[in-house]
């Protein structure tokens, strides 16, 4: 891990991405402690105020402190994105390894499922599924996860196919290792690297999908703070105050840009060709 972080740190974009990701994670972790007010504390008398010493980012149309809501929205964005990626990666890994190691008929069925899901853009598919099955944080996480399963499944299948006949795997079979031991001890550890890189690249995508669905009113339900719902409220009252929009848009930009830069640096750091390894 120390070597990997050092490789990421050697690129300016990697340093920027790493610092942004660290800041986002720190805010998400400490939001309940460092937020100056409760995210849903209403003060109608001070609604749509600009930045001040009392409210550093101003207030929204209900007088709620925007800095506190941006921090709470950071927690929501991080938790939703990590949950979505974890579920999608787990299911994708399982299906991808099954497709690579199972008989041809099962492989075809799995690939057809991947093709059907991949035929729809991730945002459109998530929008349609949530409209069909209903809103809520649990539904949001599960249904958005479904849209990302084929990506993890395909990379897991490709990596498994590449190493299933490797000499060290054949040696394990000759020594009498069981199929389960080979998969858990050799196949799985060797395919986790590319899957982890893909996960880091998909986190900003999930954050933007969650924000977009919340902007449309079918994502994270109120009173939970979400950058998307904050943008929607800010757009509604844009002629009275621009600060609700600026706060949420700034946080969303920082999170997606930082995650993207970190993911790209992580991809380069794990590429042997860029490390002088043939």
């Amino acid at each position: 891990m120390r070597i990997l972080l050092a490789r990421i740190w050697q690129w300016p974009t990697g340093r920027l991405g790493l610092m942004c990701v660290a800041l986002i994670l720190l805010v998400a972790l400490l939001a309940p402690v460092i937020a100056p007010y409760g995210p849903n504390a209403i003060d109608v008398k001070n609604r749509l105020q600009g930045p001040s010493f009392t409210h550093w980012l101003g207030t929204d149309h209900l007088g709620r402190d925007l800095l506190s809501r941006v921090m709470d929205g950071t927690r929501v964005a991080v938790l939703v994105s990590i949950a979505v990626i974890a579920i999608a990666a787990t299911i994708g890994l399982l299906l991808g390894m099954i497709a690579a190691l199972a008989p041809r008929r099962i492989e075809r069925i799995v690939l057809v499922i991947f093709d059907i899901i991949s035929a729809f853009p991730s945002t459109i598919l998530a929008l349609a599924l949530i409209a069909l099955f209903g809103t809520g944080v649990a539904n949001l996480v599960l249904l958005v996860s479904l849209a990302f399963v084929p990506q993890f499944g395909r990379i897991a299948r490709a990596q498994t196919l590449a190493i299933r006949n490797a000499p060290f795997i054949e040696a394990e079979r000759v020594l009498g290792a069981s199929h389960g031991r080979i998969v858990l001890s050799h196949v799985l550890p060797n395919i986790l690297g590319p899957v982890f890189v893909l996960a880091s690249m998909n986190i900003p995508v999930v954050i933007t999908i969650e924000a977009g669905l919340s902007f449309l009113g079918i994502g994270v339900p109120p009173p939970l703070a979400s950058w998307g719902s904050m943008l929607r409220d800010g757009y509604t009252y844009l002629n009275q105050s621009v600060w609700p929009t600026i706060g949420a848009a700034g946080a969303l930009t920082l999170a997606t840009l930082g995650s993207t830069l970190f993911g790209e640096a992580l991809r380069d750091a794990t590429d042997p060709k860029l490390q002088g390894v043939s």
Side-chain angles (χ1 to χ4, degrees), residues 95 97-113 157:
L95 293 178
M97 288 191 296
I98 289 175
L101 300 174
R104 186 71 175 174
R105 181 178 300 177
I106 297 179
E107 180 186 20
R108 289 178 179 175
I109 294 174
V110 174
L111 292 179
V112 167
I113 294 174
R157 174 179 173 270

Side-chain angles (χ1 to χ4, degrees), residues 233-255:
D233 294 340
Y235 177 76
T236 303
Y237 296 93
L238 191 60
N239 61 337
Q240 300 180 51
S241 176
V242 299
W243 293 105
T245 304
I246 290 177
L252 184 60
T253 301
L254 179 66

Side-chain angles (χ1 to χ4, degrees), residues 249-264:
L252 184 60
T253 301
L254 179 66
T256 54
L257 177 63
S259 299
T260 301
L261 293 177
F262 176 78
E264 292 177 349

Side-chain angles (χ1 to χ4, degrees), residues 11-247:
W11 292 295
T13 55
R15 290 195 290 270
L16 179 60
L18 184 58
M19 289 187 292
C20 290
V21 169
L23 176 62
I24 292 296
L25 292 177
L26 190 64
V27 171
L29 183 63
L30 300 179
V33 178
I34 63 177
Y37 301 92
N40 297 311
I42 296 176
D43 183 9
V44 180
K45 293 182 180 180
N46 292 313
R47 61 191 299 268
L48 297 174
Q49 297 295 310
S52 64
F53 289 108
T54 306
H55 302 284
W56 289 9
L57 288 181
T59 59
D60 66 2
H61 63 291
L62 295 177
R64 296 173 295 190
D65 181 67
L66 287 174
L67 178 59
S68 301
R69 289 187 62 76
V70 166
M71 289 181 175
D72 201 59
T74 304
R75 290 180 64 225
V76 172
V78 169
L79 291 175
V80 168
S81 60
I82 290 177
V84 166
I85 294 300
I87 293 173
T90 301
I91 298 175
L93 269 173
L94 180 62
L95 293 178
M97 288 191 296
I98 289 175
L101 300 174
R104 186 71 175 174
R105 181 178 300 177
I106 297 179
E107 180 186 20
R108 289 178 179 175
I109 294 174
V110 174
L111 292 179
V112 167
I113 294 174
F114 287 168
D115 289 338
I116 293 173
I117 297 176
S118 301
F120 302 92
S122 300
T123 304
I124 301 300
L125 179 60
L127 180 64
L129 291 175
I130 290 176
L132 181 62
F133 292 101
T135 59
V137 176
N139 277 356
L140 174 68
V141 170
L142 292 174
L143 298 176
V144 174
S145 300
L146 180 63
F148 287 88
V149 166
Q151 297 183 35
F152 291 98
R154 290 185 183 280
I155 195 170
R157 174 179 173 270
Q159 294 295 317
T160 303
L161 288 173
I163 68 170
R164 69 176 182 178
N165 294 321
F168 69 93
I169 298 293
E170 293 295 336
E172 284 289 321
R173 292 195 182 101
V174 171
L175 292 173
S178 65
H179 192 69
R181 175 180 172 81
I182 291 174
V183 171
L184 294 177
S185 300
H186 298 285
V187 176
L188 184 59
N190 279 281
I191 68 175
L192 283 179
V195 170
F196 184 72
V197 173
L198 179 62
S200 67
M201 297 290 289
N202 274 336
I203 283 180
V205 181
V206 176
I207 290 176
T208 54
I209 289 177
E210 180 274 316
L213 294 175
S214 296
F215 182 86
L216 296 174
I218 58 174
V220 175
L224 290 175
S226 168
W227 294 335
S229 60
M230 292 176 64
L231 284 171
R232 181 189 63 212
D233 294 340
Y235 177 76
T236 303
Y237 296 93
L238 191 60
N239 61 337
Q240 300 180 51
S241 176
V242 299
W243 293 105
T245 304
I246 290 177

